[in-house]
Amino acid sequence: MMQRALFSRGALLAQQTSAALEGPLAARSAPVLLRQDRSMSSVTIPPPACMLRPLEVPLRYLFGPGPSNVPPRILAAGSRPIIGHLHPEMYEIMNDIKKGIQYAFQTENNMTIAMSGSGHAAMECAVFNTVEPGESVLIAINGIWGERVAEIAERMGANVQRMVKTPGGYFTNTEIEQAIKKHKPVLFFLTHGESSAGLCHPVDGIGDICRKHDCLFLVDTVASLGAAPIFMDKQNIDILYSGSQKALNAPPGTAPISFNDRACHKMFNRKTKPVSYLFDMTHLSNYWGCDGKPARVYHHTGPVSGFFALRESLAILAERGLEESWKKHKEVAAYLYRGLEDLGLKLFVPERDLRLPSVTTIAIPEGYDWREMLTYIMKHHHMEMTGGLGPSIGMVS
C-alpha cells in the first residue's frame, strides 16, 4: 500500500514536471521539482535484514535470580487486547492490582501502587520521594542491592552512610541501632531478599528501632516477595517495594510499592520537588486513585499489558494463599539443598534459616571456572544459572 502511494505521488510529480517543461518557466521549474521528488522518495538506509526475518526466541529454563519462567495463564493475560490506559476498565484493573499488592505485602496502606518499570523504578521512586538533597541516609550493604541504593541516593544529593558486610553476612539489630544513633538518618535501607548472595535477612524489630529514632524504614523484597514471609504493617516497615519478574512469575516491567502514613507525611511535606517527574508520587498517587481526588489526571502511559499480567500473577497468589506459597518455596528449596549437598556441593549461606528460598547460592568449588560451568549448562541443558552479582561475582553460582 505504501509503495503504491509513493509510486502514484512520483507519477504525479513527473506529469507536473513534464507540463512545466513545456511552459516559459521550464528551465527554472524542472530542477526544483526534481529536487522535491528526490527529497520525498529517496531512502538511503535500507530495511535491516534482521527485521525481515520472523522473531525467534529459544525455550530456556530460567534458574537464575530473575526473570523466571512465566506460566501460560499469566502469558495469556498479558496478550489480552489493549485498552486505553485511562479507560474506566483500566482503572478497575489498577484497583485490583492495588488490592493484590496490599495482600502480598500484608498492609492496609492506601498509598499502594505498581510502578511502570522494573524493581529499579520502585527503588528510585522510594529514595527520590522521601529523601531531599543533603539529608542523611543509612544503607545496609551485604550485596549488590545496597550498593545500588547507595549510588542512587548519592546521585540525588543525599549524604550517604554505609554499613558494610561481605556477601552473605547479616546485620544484628544492635549494630543497626548503633549506626542509626550515630548517623541520624531520615531513611534506613535494608534488602530482605539479597539475591546476589542468596540471603534472606531478618526484619523483626528493625522497624521499631527506626520509629524510636524517627527514621523511615525502607525494605527491598524484589527477590523474596511471595517466597519468604514479610509483614509490612506488623513489622513497621514504612516503605516496601518489589518486582514482578521473580517469585510473582510475571514478566519484567512492573514494580509494586507501598508507603505508610509516616512515609507519606515525609513525602508530601518536602521543601524541594523530587528529582524525577516520572517517579513523583504527587502525580502517581493521583494516577492510581490514592490521593482522594474525584478525577485521575493523565501523567504517563502505563504498561497496559504488563498490568494485565501483574494482576493475573497477584490473582494466582491470592488463590494459592501466601502461607501456602511460602511453604511451597521452603519445601522445594529444602529438596534442592539435599540434592546439592548429596553431590558434594557447598551452599554459600551456611545458616539454613538465613537462606533465601527463591534464590539458592552455591559456593564455587575450588579449581573450577564458574563461567565455563555455566556456559556448558546453558549450551547442553538450556538452563540459565548465574555467577553472582556485584560483590558476589566469582563467589557463588
Side-chain angles (χ1 to χ4, degrees), residues 373-391:
M373 290 191 296
L374 300 185
T375 300
Y376 179 90
I377 292 171
M378 176 69 82
K379 180 179 179 180
H380 295 280
H381 301 284
H382 307 290
M383 290 168 50
E384 181 207 38
M385 298 177 66
T386 58
L389 288 170

Side-chain angles (χ1 to χ4, degrees), residues 55-282:
L55 174 67
E56 295 183 5
V57 179
L59 174 62
R60 296 261 166 81
Y61 301 101
L62 302 180
F63 296 139
S68 56
N69 292 110
V70 179
R73 176 176 162 183
I74 296 176
L75 288 174
S79 67
R80 294 286 186 99
I82 293 289
I83 60 175
H85 65 290
L86 299 178
H87 289 183
E89 297 84 356
M90 193 66 227
Y91 291 154
E92 184 176 348
I93 291 169
M94 292 166 72
N95 291 340
D96 291 348
I97 290 171
K98 176 179 176 177
K99 292 184 177 75
I101 295 171
Q102 288 172 326
Y103 172 68
F105 283 4
Q106 287 295 283
T107 183
E108 295 180 350
N109 292 340
N110 174 59
M111 198 62 63
T112 300
I113 69 171
M115 301 296 299
S116 302
S118 68
H120 277 78
M123 182 187 290
E124 290 203 333
C125 176
V127 176
F128 289 168
N129 282 278
T130 59
V131 180
E132 298 194 63
E135 290 184 328
S136 175
V137 298
L138 178 63
I139 312 294
I141 300 175
N142 57 347
I144 190 172
W145 306 119
E147 289 184 344
R148 195 63 55 87
V149 172
E151 181 173 345
I152 288 169
E154 283 182 333
R155 286 183 177 218
M156 55 78 57
N159 177 18
V160 176
Q161 307 296 330
R162 293 168 169 83
M163 300 175 64
V164 181
K165 298 252 183 175
T166 57
Y170 70 96
F171 303 89
T172 66
N173 288 12
T174 300
E175 290 172 326
I176 291 169
E177 183 162 22
Q178 287 174 346
I180 289 176
K181 283 181 179 179
K182 178 180 178 181
H183 298 296
K184 298 178 174 54
V186 299
L187 181 88
F188 171 62
F189 169 83
L190 181 75
T191 309
H192 180 235
E194 181 48 79
S195 56
S196 67
L199 181 84
C200 188
H201 201 289
V203 174
D204 286 344
I206 301 175
D208 298 330
I209 293 170
C210 289
R211 292 199 175 192
K212 178 181 174 182
H213 297 281
D214 194 25
C215 167
L216 294 178
F217 185 27
L218 167 62
V219 178
D220 177 316
T221 63
V222 171
S224 59
L225 185 68
I230 194 77
F231 303 91
M232 185 173 189
D233 289 354
K234 288 182 181 178
Q235 293 173 319
N236 285 333
I237 299 169
D238 298 299
I239 312 155
L240 188 70
Y241 68 84
S242 190
S244 59
Q245 75 276 18
K246 302 203 176 185
L248 290 181
N249 281 142
T254 56
I257 188 169
S258 182
F259 302 81
N260 69 7
D261 289 342
R262 292 181 75 238
C264 287
H265 183 266
K266 176 76 168 69
M267 185 162 60
F268 296 129
N269 289 278
R270 300 172 57 96
K271 298 175 183 176
T272 59
K273 290 183 178 181
V275 295
S276 170
Y277 178 86
L278 179 61
F279 296 156
D280 188 339
M281 282 298 298
T282 302

Side-chain angles (χ1 to χ4, degrees), residues 26-79:
R28 285 181 293 174
S29 300
V32 172
L33 290 170
L34 287 172
R35 284 199 300 273
Q36 288 177 343
D37 185 28
R38 284 197 298 269
S39 68
M40 294 174 68
S41 64
S42 59
V43 174
T44 59
I45 307 298
C50 64
M51 300 310 296
L52 303 178
R53 299 192 300 266
L55 174 67
E56 295 183 5
V57 179
L59 174 62
R60 296 261 166 81
Y61 301 101
L62 302 180
F63 296 139
S68 56
N69 292 110
V70 179
R73 176 176 162 183
I74 296 176
L75 288 174
S79 67

